[in-house]
Amino acid sequence: MSIDRRGAPRFACGIDTQLALAGALIESVQTVDLSFSGICVLTPDWVPVRSKVQFRLRVRLAQGCSDGLALTGETVWCTSVPRGYQVGSSFDSDMASVAWRRLDIVLRMVRGERPPS
């Protein structure tokens, strides 16, 4: 029996994402999965473990694209995959409360729930 060490359930999703590392923006980043505790992304560039990073997620809806949701964190692992690198990051526990509320809305949408109005 395997033990899941993740802090929260993760949900597979393909949200367009930007990744900033030490002030440099990495383009062409795609979210693999997302939770309240962290994020996994595909990126064309290697990202050092324990790097402070910022993610900006944009959810595409039928009526347009959402404002970018900025989430800060730290990389936990980086693995080479056929299309680049898969990077796992945990979110900073001291993110602004508005970021946590907006992340909750995004996770509800990913789960197929209607976000609160």
Side-chain angles (χ1 to χ4, degrees), residues 16-57:
D16 291 338
T17 305
Q18 291 179 327
L19 168 60
L21 169 68
L25 190 62
I26 299 175
E27 300 286 344
S28 303
V29 176
Q30 189 72 33
T31 300
V32 174
D33 62 41
L34 180 65
S35 77
F36 261 115
S37 59
I39 188 170
C40 175
V41 297
L42 286 174
T43 176
D45 300 323
W46 178 78
V47 179
V49 173
R50 291 194 264 315
S51 296
K52 293 294 184 186
V53 290
Q54 182 175 29
F55 298 93
R56 182 166 297 275
L57 283 60

Side-chain angles (χ1 to χ4, degrees), residues 5-6 10 32-33 39-42 46-51 74-81 85-90:
R5 297 176 295 183
R6 294 178 175 155
R10 292 197 177 234
V32 174
D33 62 41
I39 188 170
C40 175
V41 297
L42 286 174
W46 178 78
V47 179
V49 173
R50 291 194 264 315
S51 296
E74 180 177 275
T75 57
V76 178
W77 52 268
C78 182
T79 303
S80 178
V81 294
Y85 296 89
Q86 197 166 14
V87 178
S89 295
S90 61

Side-chain angles (χ1 to χ4, degrees), residues 11 15 34-37 57 59 69-71 91 95-117:
F11 298 94
I15 299 172
L34 180 65
S35 77
F36 261 115
S37 59
L57 283 60
V59 179
L69 169 57
L71 303 166
F91 293 133
M95 276 193 308
S97 60
V98 68
W100 290 113
R101 286 193 304 271
R102 291 185 70 201
L103 177 58
D104 179 54
I105 291 169
V106 169
L107 286 168
R108 288 173 189 245
M109 293 169 64
V110 168
R111 289 190 304 252
E113 298 175 14
R114 184 179 179 151
S117 44

